[in-house]
Amino acid sequence: MLVACGMQRCHQEALKKNRVVLAKQLVLKELMEHMIEKDIITPEMMEMIQAQSGSFSQNVEFLNLLPKRGPNAFSAFCEALRETKQQHLEALILKTTSNLSHGIARLEHCYGSNLPFPASESCNAKRPRWIEPMEHSLDNGDGPPIPPVKYCTPEFYHDHQHLAYKLVSEPRGLALILSNVHFSSEKDLEYRAGGDVDCTSLEMLFKHLGYQVTVCHDQTAQEMQNALERFSKLPDHRDVDSCIVALLSHGVEGGVYGVDGKLLQLQEAFRLFDNANCPNLQNKPKMFFIQACRGDETDRGVDQRDGKEWSDSTGCEESDANKEENLKLRLPTRSDMICGYACLKGTAAMRNTKRGSWYIEALTSVFAEDSRDTHVADMLVKVNRQIKQREGYAPGTEFHRCKEMSEYCSTLCRDLYLFPGYLPGK
C-alpha cells in the first residue's frame, strides 16, 4: 500500500476556484506573520514571497505555496483571514468548499462511493485521509528482512583511509532516530502504517555499522527539538568520529511534523549540529536521513525518450587571493554534513504499509551491501538509482505507475567511508 500526504483535494479546489479574487484582494503583510506563528510557512518563505514585485505577484507566490504546506494549512489560512479582518475572503472559500462537499455527497448518493477520484483525497473529515491504494507486496506481510552488513577488509582500509574521514572509533559514532507513527486524533495526520518497519530497519543497520543508537518514538515537535538539542550536546561526541540523525514522519518542504501536528523546521535541526553549536563534532562527518514528504504532488513520471544522456560540462576554478597567514584556523559555520531526502522538493514520499518506505528500504539494502567498499555519497547515488527504477502499482488510482526521486546534498570535504567491522589493532 502506498502513502502520500498534503492538503485535502476539496480545499485545493476551493483555493483554485477563487484564485483570481484572492490574488487581487489578499492583504498579506500581517497575515503571513500569523502563518509563521502557526508553523505553516517559515520566515525564509515570507522573504521569498516579499521578493516578488507588487502585491498581486506576492499573492500569487503565496497561493502557489499554500497547498504544499500540509493538511493544516487550509484551516490555518482561514483562521489567519479572520484574525486580519479579511472574513469576506474566508466566507468565499468556505462557501466553495461546502458546495464541493455537497457535490461529492450527491454523487455518492446516486452512484455509491466508487468514484473516479482517489479516496486518499476525500474531504469527508470522518474518513481517513490516507486510505492507501494497493501496491504489489513481494513479502509475506511481515516486512523486509534486515540484510547483514558486509565488513570491509584491512587491505581496503589501508588503501583508502588517507583520503577519507577518520572513522575508526568504537563506537563509530552516536545515532539518533526520531520516528513518529501515531499522531494526535484532532490533527489531520494519519497513522504511518509501515513506519515501524523503517525504524527497526534503520536501528539494526546503524548498530551493524558500529553506531550507538538511541530511538525516540511518537514525539511532539517540541519534544523532537528537545531530543535533538540534548543529543547534539552529549559530551560523548568528543570521543567518537561521526554522528547520524534520522527523522521519520509526515512532512512538508522544510519541516517534519511532530505527533501534535506542529512543525519542526529542518534548518533548526541542522543548526544544532553546525560548527558553532556543536564543537565536539567539528571536522567530523554528520549524516542526516529524512523520510518525510516535502509536498503533496505525486510524481506521475514521464515516458523515456531514446537518446544520449547529457554529459557533464567542465567547470572552472578560481584561486584564492590575498590569504591572511598565521591566523587561527577558521571553519565555515556549517560543513562536513550530508543529508539524504526521500523525495524532491514539492513531492510526496511513498511508503508500503508492510515493507516500509521505498527510500528506507533502498537505503538499508545499499548500505548493508556496499558500505564495505563504497563511500556514503556514492551509496546515496545507488539509492537514487534504485528509487528511480521503482514504480507504484495501484490500478484505477492516482498512484498507479507513480514515481519517486530521492536526492542528497553534501558539504563533506573528504570521502566518507564507514569501514564497517574494521578496528585498528584487532
Side-chain angles (χ1 to χ4, degrees), residues 176-183 192 194-200 202 214-220 224 246-250 257-259 291:
L176 176 66
I177 301 173
L178 301 183
S179 175
N180 291 340
V181 174
H182 303 90
F183 292 79
R192 292 183 64 247
D196 287 332
V197 177
D198 286 347
C199 184
T200 300
L202 283 185
T214 300
V215 181
C216 297
H217 295 281
D218 293 337
Q219 303 223 303
T220 66
M224 294 170 75
L247 304 178
L248 317 175
S249 188
H250 291 307
Y257 283 108
V259 295
Q291 171 56 48

PDB file of all heavy atoms in Angstrom, residues 176-183 192 194-200 202 214-220 224 246-250 257-259 291:
ATOM      1  N   LEU A 176      20.871   8.956  16.332  1.00  0.00           N
ATOM      2  CA  LEU A 176      19.551   9.268  16.904  1.00  0.00           C
ATOM      3  C   LEU A 176      18.491   9.061  15.835  1.00  0.00           C
ATOM      4  O   LEU A 176      18.609   9.591  14.725  1.00  0.00           O
ATOM      5  CB  LEU A 176      19.504  10.707  17.404  1.00  0.00           C
ATOM      6  CG  LEU A 176      18.151  11.205  17.934  1.00  0.00           C
ATOM      7  CD1 LEU A 176      17.757  10.463  19.212  1.00  0.00           C
ATOM      8  CD2 LEU A 176      18.183  12.717  18.186  1.00  0.00           C
ATOM      9  N   ILE A 177      17.455   8.292  16.162  1.00  0.00           N
ATOM     10  CA  ILE A 177      16.310   8.099  15.269  1.00  0.00           C
ATOM     11  C   ILE A 177      15.074   8.655  15.952  1.00  0.00           C
ATOM     12  O   ILE A 177      14.738   8.256  17.076  1.00  0.00           O
ATOM     13  CB  ILE A 177      16.090   6.607  14.942  1.00  0.00           C
ATOM     14  CG1 ILE A 177      17.325   5.992  14.279  1.00  0.00           C
ATOM     15  CG2 ILE A 177      14.872   6.439  14.027  1.00  0.00           C
ATOM     16  CD1 ILE A 177      17.235   4.477  14.092  1.00  0.00           C
ATOM     17  N   LEU A 178      14.397   9.591  15.300  1.00  0.00           N
ATOM     18  CA  LEU A 178      13.113  10.108  15.774  1.00  0.00           C
ATOM     19  C   LEU A 178      12.042   9.586  14.827  1.00  0.00           C
ATOM     20  O   LEU A 178      12.026   9.953  13.648  1.00  0.00           O
ATOM     21  CB  LEU A 178      13.106  11.634  15.802  1.00  0.00           C
ATOM     22  CG  LEU A 178      14.173  12.321  16.677  1.00  0.00           C
ATOM     23  CD1 LEU A 178      13.988  13.827  16.655  1.00  0.00           C
ATOM     24  CD2 LEU A 178      14.123  11.800  18.105  1.00  0.00           C
ATOM     25  N   SER A 179      11.175   8.709  15.319  1.00  0.00           N
ATOM     26  CA  SER A 179      10.177   8.043  14.480  1.00  0.00           C
ATOM     27  C   SER A 179       8.776   8.344  14.987  1.00  0.00           C
ATOM     28  O   SER A 179       8.410   7.951  16.100  1.00  0.00           O
ATOM     29  CB  SER A 179      10.423   6.525  14.485  1.00  0.00           C
ATOM     30  OG  SER A 179       9.394   5.849  13.779  1.00  0.00           O
ATOM     31  N   ASN A 180       7.988   9.040  14.183  1.00  0.00           N
ATOM     32  CA  ASN A 180       6.598   9.350  14.525  1.00  0.00           C
ATOM     33  C   ASN A 180       5.661   8.504  13.672  1.00  0.00           C
ATOM     34  O   ASN A 180       5.731   8.544  12.437  1.00  0.00           O
ATOM     35  CB  ASN A 180       6.309  10.836  14.302  1.00  0.00           C
ATOM     36  CG  ASN A 180       7.031  11.717  15.301  1.00  0.00           C
ATOM     37  OD1 ASN A 180       7.440  11.250  16.362  1.00  0.00           O
ATOM     38  ND2 ASN A 180       7.192  12.985  14.973  1.00  0.00           N
ATOM     39  N   VAL A 181       4.800   7.741  14.336  1.00  0.00           N
ATOM     40  CA  VAL A 181       3.877   6.839  13.648  1.00  0.00           C
ATOM     41  C   VAL A 181       2.421   7.146  14.010  1.00  0.00           C
ATOM     42  O   VAL A 181       1.555   7.195  13.157  1.00  0.00           O
ATOM     43  CB  VAL A 181       4.219   5.365  13.987  1.00  0.00           C
ATOM     44  CG1 VAL A 181       3.173   4.422  13.401  1.00  0.00           C
ATOM     45  CG2 VAL A 181       5.607   5.006  13.464  1.00  0.00           C
ATOM     46  N   HIS A 182       2.154   7.372  15.298  1.00  0.00           N
ATOM     47  CA  HIS A 182       0.795   7.656  15.771  1.00  0.00           C
ATOM     48  C   HIS A 182       0.651   9.155  16.040  1.00  0.00           C
ATOM     49  O   HIS A 182       1.393   9.712  16.841  1.00  0.00           O
ATOM     50  CB  HIS A 182       0.494   6.878  17.050  1.00  0.00           C
ATOM     51  CG  HIS A 182       0.664   5.396  16.908  1.00  0.00           C
ATOM     52  ND1 HIS A 182       1.864   4.757  17.160  1.00  0.00           N
ATOM     53  CD2 HIS A 182      -0.213   4.429  16.529  1.00  0.00           C
ATOM     54  CE1 HIS A 182       1.720   3.456  16.954  1.00  0.00           C
ATOM     55  NE2 HIS A 182       0.481   3.226  16.569  1.00  0.00           N
ATOM     56  N   PHE A 183      -0.323   9.781  15.391  1.00  0.00           N
ATOM     57  CA  PHE A 183      -0.491  11.221  15.503  1.00  0.00           C
ATOM     58  C   PHE A 183      -1.770  11.562  16.260  1.00  0.00           C
ATOM     59  O   PHE A 183      -2.706  10.763  16.335  1.00  0.00           O
ATOM     60  CB  PHE A 183      -0.501  11.864  14.108  1.00  0.00           C
ATOM     61  CG  PHE A 183       0.834  11.792  13.424  1.00  0.00           C
ATOM     62  CD1 PHE A 183       1.243  10.618  12.817  1.00  0.00           C
ATOM     63  CD2 PHE A 183       1.696  12.872  13.426  1.00  0.00           C
ATOM     64  CE1 PHE A 183       2.486  10.526  12.203  1.00  0.00           C
ATOM     65  CE2 PHE A 183       2.944  12.794  12.822  1.00  0.00           C
ATOM     66  CZ  PHE A 183       3.338  11.614  12.216  1.00  0.00           C
ATOM     67  N   ARG A 192       1.019   6.265  10.358  1.00  0.00           N
ATOM     68  CA  ARG A 192       2.019   5.934   9.329  1.00  0.00           C
ATOM     69  C   ARG A 192       2.271   4.428   9.322  1.00  0.00           C
ATOM     70  O   ARG A 192       3.283   3.944   9.825  1.00  0.00           O
ATOM     71  CB  ARG A 192       3.325   6.689   9.575  1.00  0.00           C
ATOM     72  CG  ARG A 192       3.216   8.194   9.361  1.00  0.00           C
ATOM     73  CD  ARG A 192       4.559   8.892   9.549  1.00  0.00           C
ATOM     74  NE  ARG A 192       5.519   8.457   8.543  1.00  0.00           N
ATOM     75  CZ  ARG A 192       6.615   7.755   8.792  1.00  0.00           C
ATOM     76  NH1 ARG A 192       6.900   7.373  10.035  1.00  0.00           N
ATOM     77  NH2 ARG A 192       7.425   7.406   7.830  1.00  0.00           N
ATOM     78  N   GLY A 194       3.596   1.030   8.440  1.00  0.00           N
ATOM     79  CA  GLY A 194       4.898   0.705   7.846  1.00  0.00           C
ATOM     80  C   GLY A 194       6.029   1.528   8.412  1.00  0.00           C
ATOM     81  O   GLY A 194       7.200   1.222   8.179  1.00  0.00           O
ATOM     82  N   GLY A 195       5.695   2.579   9.184  1.00  0.00           N
ATOM     83  CA  GLY A 195       6.734   3.420   9.772  1.00  0.00           C
ATOM     84  C   GLY A 195       7.594   2.672  10.769  1.00  0.00           C
ATOM     85  O   GLY A 195       8.805   2.922  10.886  1.00  0.00           O
ATOM     86  N   ASP A 196       6.997   1.729  11.506  1.00  0.00           N
ATOM     87  CA  ASP A 196       7.769   0.935  12.466  1.00  0.00           C
ATOM     88  C   ASP A 196       8.789   0.048  11.766  1.00  0.00           C
ATOM     89  O   ASP A 196       9.859  -0.233  12.313  1.00  0.00           O
ATOM     90  CB  ASP A 196       6.830   0.072  13.322  1.00  0.00           C
ATOM     91  CG  ASP A 196       6.068   0.899  14.350  1.00  0.00           C
ATOM     92  OD1 ASP A 196       6.596   1.948  14.764  1.00  0.00           O
ATOM     93  OD2 ASP A 196       4.948   0.509  14.715  1.00  0.00           O
ATOM     94  N   VAL A 197       8.445  -0.406  10.554  1.00  0.00           N
ATOM     95  CA  VAL A 197       9.392  -1.217   9.775  1.00  0.00           C
ATOM     96  C   VAL A 197      10.628  -0.389   9.439  1.00  0.00           C
ATOM     97  O   VAL A 197      11.767  -0.844   9.586  1.00  0.00           O
ATOM     98  CB  VAL A 197       8.724  -1.748   8.487  1.00  0.00           C
ATOM     99  CG1 VAL A 197       9.731  -2.520   7.632  1.00  0.00           C
ATOM    100  CG2 VAL A 197       7.534  -2.631   8.814  1.00  0.00           C
ATOM    101  N   ASP A 198      10.410   0.860   9.003  1.00  0.00           N
ATOM    102  CA  ASP A 198      11.532   1.761   8.705  1.00  0.00           C
ATOM    103  C   ASP A 198      12.423   1.954   9.921  1.00  0.00           C
ATOM    104  O   ASP A 198      13.652   1.894   9.828  1.00  0.00           O
ATOM    105  CB  ASP A 198      11.009   3.133   8.261  1.00  0.00           C
ATOM    106  CG  ASP A 198      10.443   3.124   6.853  1.00  0.00           C
ATOM    107  OD1 ASP A 198      10.670   2.142   6.136  1.00  0.00           O
ATOM    108  OD2 ASP A 198       9.779   4.102   6.486  1.00  0.00           O
ATOM    109  N   CYS A 199      11.792   2.217  11.067  1.00  0.00           N
ATOM    110  CA  CYS A 199      12.548   2.498  12.287  1.00  0.00           C
ATOM    111  C   CYS A 199      13.400   1.298  12.687  1.00  0.00           C
ATOM    112  O   CYS A 199      14.593   1.440  12.995  1.00  0.00           O
ATOM    113  CB  CYS A 199      11.576   2.869  13.411  1.00  0.00           C
ATOM    114  SG  CYS A 199      12.385   3.347  14.943  1.00  0.00           S
ATOM    115  N   THR A 200      12.802   0.108  12.673  1.00  0.00           N
ATOM    116  CA  THR A 200      13.548  -1.098  13.030  1.00  0.00           C
ATOM    117  C   THR A 200      14.681  -1.358  12.057  1.00  0.00           C
ATOM    118  O   THR A 200      15.799  -1.721  12.461  1.00  0.00           O
ATOM    119  CB  THR A 200      12.592  -2.309  13.068  1.00  0.00           C
ATOM    120  OG1 THR A 200      11.573  -2.073  14.037  1.00  0.00           O
ATOM    121  CG2 THR A 200      13.333  -3.583  13.426  1.00  0.00           C
ATOM    122  N   LEU A 202      16.376   0.804  10.203  1.00  0.00           N
ATOM    123  CA  LEU A 202      17.475   1.749  10.403  1.00  0.00           C
ATOM    124  C   LEU A 202      18.217   1.468  11.705  1.00  0.00           C
ATOM    125  O   LEU A 202      19.458   1.551  11.756  1.00  0.00           O
ATOM    126  CB  LEU A 202      16.950   3.179  10.410  1.00  0.00           C
ATOM    127  CG  LEU A 202      16.598   3.798   9.059  1.00  0.00           C
ATOM    128  CD1 LEU A 202      16.217   5.264   9.231  1.00  0.00           C
ATOM    129  CD2 LEU A 202      17.755   3.686   8.073  1.00  0.00           C
ATOM    130  N   THR A 214      20.152   5.592  19.659  1.00  0.00           N
ATOM    131  CA  THR A 214      19.039   5.995  20.524  1.00  0.00           C
ATOM    132  C   THR A 214      17.807   6.198  19.654  1.00  0.00           C
ATOM    133  O   THR A 214      17.893   6.836  18.596  1.00  0.00           O
ATOM    134  CB  THR A 214      19.362   7.309  21.269  1.00  0.00           C
ATOM    135  OG1 THR A 214      20.526   7.114  22.073  1.00  0.00           O
ATOM    136  CG2 THR A 214      18.201   7.734  22.156  1.00  0.00           C
ATOM    137  N   VAL A 215      16.666   5.645  20.075  1.00  0.00           N
ATOM    138  CA  VAL A 215      15.415   5.782  19.312  1.00  0.00           C
ATOM    139  C   VAL A 215      14.372   6.473  20.178  1.00  0.00           C
ATOM    140  O   VAL A 215      14.179   6.105  21.343  1.00  0.00           O
ATOM    141  CB  VAL A 215      14.883   4.406  18.855  1.00  0.00           C
ATOM    142  CG1 VAL A 215      13.610   4.579  18.039  1.00  0.00           C
ATOM    143  CG2 VAL A 215      15.935   3.658  18.049  1.00  0.00           C
ATOM    144  N   CYS A 216      13.706   7.478  19.622  1.00  0.00           N
ATOM    145  CA  CYS A 216      12.595   8.157  20.302  1.00  0.00           C
ATOM    146  C   CYS A 216      11.339   8.001  19.438  1.00  0.00           C
ATOM    147  O   CYS A 216      11.379   8.307  18.237  1.00  0.00           O
ATOM    148  CB  CYS A 216      12.897   9.634  20.520  1.00  0.00           C
ATOM    149  SG  CYS A 216      14.318   9.951  21.584  1.00  0.00           S
ATOM    150  N   HIS A 217      10.255   7.540  20.048  1.00  0.00           N
ATOM    151  CA  HIS A 217       9.026   7.285  19.308  1.00  0.00           C
ATOM    152  C   HIS A 217       7.967   8.341  19.619  1.00  0.00           C
ATOM    153  O   HIS A 217       7.840   8.801  20.749  1.00  0.00           O
ATOM    154  CB  HIS A 217       8.458   5.913  19.680  1.00  0.00           C
ATOM    155  CG  HIS A 217       9.333   4.762  19.283  1.00  0.00           C
ATOM    156  ND1 HIS A 217       9.392   4.283  17.989  1.00  0.00           N
ATOM    157  CD2 HIS A 217      10.189   3.998  20.013  1.00  0.00           C
ATOM    158  CE1 HIS A 217      10.236   3.259  17.942  1.00  0.00           C
ATOM    159  NE2 HIS A 217      10.736   3.075  19.148  1.00  0.00           N
ATOM    160  N   ASP A 218       7.211   8.701  18.588  1.00  0.00           N
ATOM    161  CA  ASP A 218       5.975   9.489  18.728  1.00  0.00           C
ATOM    162  C   ASP A 218       6.152  10.709  19.624  1.00  0.00           C
ATOM    163  O   ASP A 218       5.606  10.797  20.728  1.00  0.00           O
ATOM    164  CB  ASP A 218       4.849   8.599  19.254  1.00  0.00           C
ATOM    165  CG  ASP A 218       4.441   7.532  18.247  1.00  0.00           C
ATOM    166  OD1 ASP A 218       4.676   7.735  17.042  1.00  0.00           O
ATOM    167  OD2 ASP A 218       3.899   6.492  18.658  1.00  0.00           O
ATOM    168  N   GLN A 219       6.887  11.676  19.112  1.00  0.00           N
ATOM    169  CA  GLN A 219       7.180  12.887  19.878  1.00  0.00           C
ATOM    170  C   GLN A 219       6.509  14.109  19.257  1.00  0.00           C
ATOM    171  O   GLN A 219       6.347  14.201  18.031  1.00  0.00           O
ATOM    172  CB  GLN A 219       8.696  13.115  19.902  1.00  0.00           C
ATOM    173  CG  GLN A 219       9.477  11.932  20.483  1.00  0.00           C
ATOM    174  CD  GLN A 219      10.566  12.392  21.416  1.00  0.00           C
ATOM    175  OE1 GLN A 219      11.422  13.162  21.036  1.00  0.00           O
ATOM    176  NE2 GLN A 219      10.535  11.914  22.642  1.00  0.00           N
ATOM    177  N   THR A 220       6.155  15.054  20.104  1.00  0.00           N
ATOM    178  CA  THR A 220       5.663  16.344  19.616  1.00  0.00           C
ATOM    179  C   THR A 220       6.832  17.102  18.984  1.00  0.00           C
ATOM    180  O   THR A 220       8.004  16.734  19.154  1.00  0.00           O
ATOM    181  CB  THR A 220       5.076  17.180  20.750  1.00  0.00           C
ATOM    182  OG1 THR A 220       6.129  17.525  21.665  1.00  0.00           O
ATOM    183  CG2 THR A 220       3.983  16.420  21.493  1.00  0.00           C
ATOM    184  N   MET A 224      10.732  16.694  19.919  1.00  0.00           N
ATOM    185  CA  MET A 224      11.764  16.399  18.909  1.00  0.00           C
ATOM    186  C   MET A 224      12.896  17.415  18.995  1.00  0.00           C
ATOM    187  O   MET A 224      14.079  17.053  18.962  1.00  0.00           O
ATOM    188  CB  MET A 224      11.142  16.403  17.513  1.00  0.00           C
ATOM    189  CG  MET A 224      10.128  15.308  17.258  1.00  0.00           C
ATOM    190  SD  MET A 224       9.228  15.557  15.704  1.00  0.00           S
ATOM    191  CE  MET A 224      10.465  15.089  14.504  1.00  0.00           C
ATOM    192  N   ALA A 246      18.334  10.486  12.027  1.00  0.00           N
ATOM    193  CA  ALA A 246      17.290  10.085  11.080  1.00  0.00           C
ATOM    194  C   ALA A 246      15.942  10.582  11.591  1.00  0.00           C
ATOM    195  O   ALA A 246      15.599  10.375  12.758  1.00  0.00           O
ATOM    196  CB  ALA A 246      17.259   8.567  10.924  1.00  0.00           C
ATOM    197  N   LEU A 247      15.189  11.258  10.732  1.00  0.00           N
ATOM    198  CA  LEU A 247      13.870  11.786  11.069  1.00  0.00           C
ATOM    199  C   LEU A 247      12.832  11.098  10.194  1.00  0.00           C
ATOM    200  O   LEU A 247      12.901  11.194   8.957  1.00  0.00           O
ATOM    201  CB  LEU A 247      13.824  13.301  10.851  1.00  0.00           C
ATOM    202  CG  LEU A 247      14.886  14.124  11.590  1.00  0.00           C
ATOM    203  CD1 LEU A 247      14.751  15.611  11.236  1.00  0.00           C
ATOM    204  CD2 LEU A 247      14.763  13.935  13.103  1.00  0.00           C
ATOM    205  N   LEU A 248      11.872  10.401  10.807  1.00  0.00           N
ATOM    206  CA  LEU A 248      10.865   9.627  10.091  1.00  0.00           C
ATOM    207  C   LEU A 248       9.488  10.118  10.526  1.00  0.00           C
ATOM    208  O   LEU A 248       9.071   9.904  11.667  1.00  0.00           O
ATOM    209  CB  LEU A 248      10.999   8.132  10.419  1.00  0.00           C
ATOM    210  CG  LEU A 248      12.414   7.537  10.465  1.00  0.00           C
ATOM    211  CD1 LEU A 248      12.362   6.083  10.926  1.00  0.00           C
ATOM    212  CD2 LEU A 248      13.085   7.636   9.111  1.00  0.00           C
ATOM    213  N   SER A 249       8.767  10.797   9.617  1.00  0.00           N
ATOM    214  CA  SER A 249       7.475  11.362   9.997  1.00  0.00           C
ATOM    215  C   SER A 249       6.740  11.834   8.752  1.00  0.00           C
ATOM    216  O   SER A 249       7.218  11.656   7.622  1.00  0.00           O
ATOM    217  CB  SER A 249       7.679  12.532  10.972  1.00  0.00           C
ATOM    218  OG  SER A 249       6.443  12.977  11.500  1.00  0.00           O
ATOM    219  N   HIS A 250       5.551  12.389   8.934  1.00  0.00           N
ATOM    220  CA  HIS A 250       4.928  13.191   7.887  1.00  0.00           C
ATOM    221  C   HIS A 250       5.701  14.501   7.783  1.00  0.00           C
ATOM    222  O   HIS A 250       6.359  14.927   8.743  1.00  0.00           O
ATOM    223  CB  HIS A 250       3.468  13.488   8.222  1.00  0.00           C
ATOM    224  CG  HIS A 250       2.565  12.292   8.174  1.00  0.00           C
ATOM    225  ND1 HIS A 250       2.483  11.461   7.087  1.00  0.00           N
ATOM    226  CD2 HIS A 250       1.695  11.786   9.098  1.00  0.00           C
ATOM    227  CE1 HIS A 250       1.608  10.501   7.326  1.00  0.00           C
ATOM    228  NE2 HIS A 250       1.107  10.673   8.542  1.00  0.00           N
ATOM    229  N   TYR A 257       6.663  16.865  10.819  1.00  0.00           N
ATOM    230  CA  TYR A 257       5.622  17.033  11.824  1.00  0.00           C
ATOM    231  C   TYR A 257       5.922  16.250  13.098  1.00  0.00           C
ATOM    232  O   TYR A 257       6.356  15.097  13.043  1.00  0.00           O
ATOM    233  CB  TYR A 257       4.275  16.560  11.283  1.00  0.00           C
ATOM    234  CG  TYR A 257       3.623  17.535  10.341  1.00  0.00           C
ATOM    235  CD1 TYR A 257       3.556  17.286   8.972  1.00  0.00           C
ATOM    236  CD2 TYR A 257       3.071  18.726  10.812  1.00  0.00           C
ATOM    237  CE1 TYR A 257       2.956  18.176   8.104  1.00  0.00           C
ATOM    238  CE2 TYR A 257       2.465  19.623   9.953  1.00  0.00           C
ATOM    239  CZ  TYR A 257       2.414  19.343   8.601  1.00  0.00           C
ATOM    240  OH  TYR A 257       1.822  20.247   7.741  1.00  0.00           O
ATOM    241  N   GLY A 258       5.651  16.897  14.245  1.00  0.00           N
ATOM    242  CA  GLY A 258       5.526  16.170  15.487  1.00  0.00           C
ATOM    243  C   GLY A 258       4.157  15.538  15.555  1.00  0.00           C
ATOM    244  O   GLY A 258       3.273  15.839  14.742  1.00  0.00           O
ATOM    245  N   VAL A 259       3.934  14.656  16.541  1.00  0.00           N
ATOM    246  CA  VAL A 259       2.643  13.977  16.638  1.00  0.00           C
ATOM    247  C   VAL A 259       1.521  14.946  17.003  1.00  0.00           C
ATOM    248  O   VAL A 259       0.340  14.604  16.867  1.00  0.00           O
ATOM    249  CB  VAL A 259       2.704  12.822  17.663  1.00  0.00           C
ATOM    250  CG1 VAL A 259       3.653  11.734  17.201  1.00  0.00           C
ATOM    251  CG2 VAL A 259       3.086  13.326  19.055  1.00  0.00           C
ATOM    252  N   GLN A 291      13.053  10.871   6.077  1.00  0.00           N
ATOM    253  CA  GLN A 291      11.962  10.138   5.440  1.00  0.00           C
ATOM    254  C   GLN A 291      10.668  10.874   5.761  1.00  0.00           C
ATOM    255  O   GLN A 291      10.072  10.695   6.815  1.00  0.00           O
ATOM    256  CB  GLN A 291      11.902   8.701   5.944  1.00  0.00           C
ATOM    257  CG  GLN A 291      10.663   7.923   5.497  1.00  0.00           C
ATOM    258  CD  GLN A 291      10.496   7.885   3.989  1.00  0.00           C
ATOM    259  OE1 GLN A 291      11.451   7.596   3.263  1.00  0.00           O
ATOM    260  NE2 GLN A 291       9.304   8.204   3.505  1.00  0.00           N
TER     261      GLN A 291
END
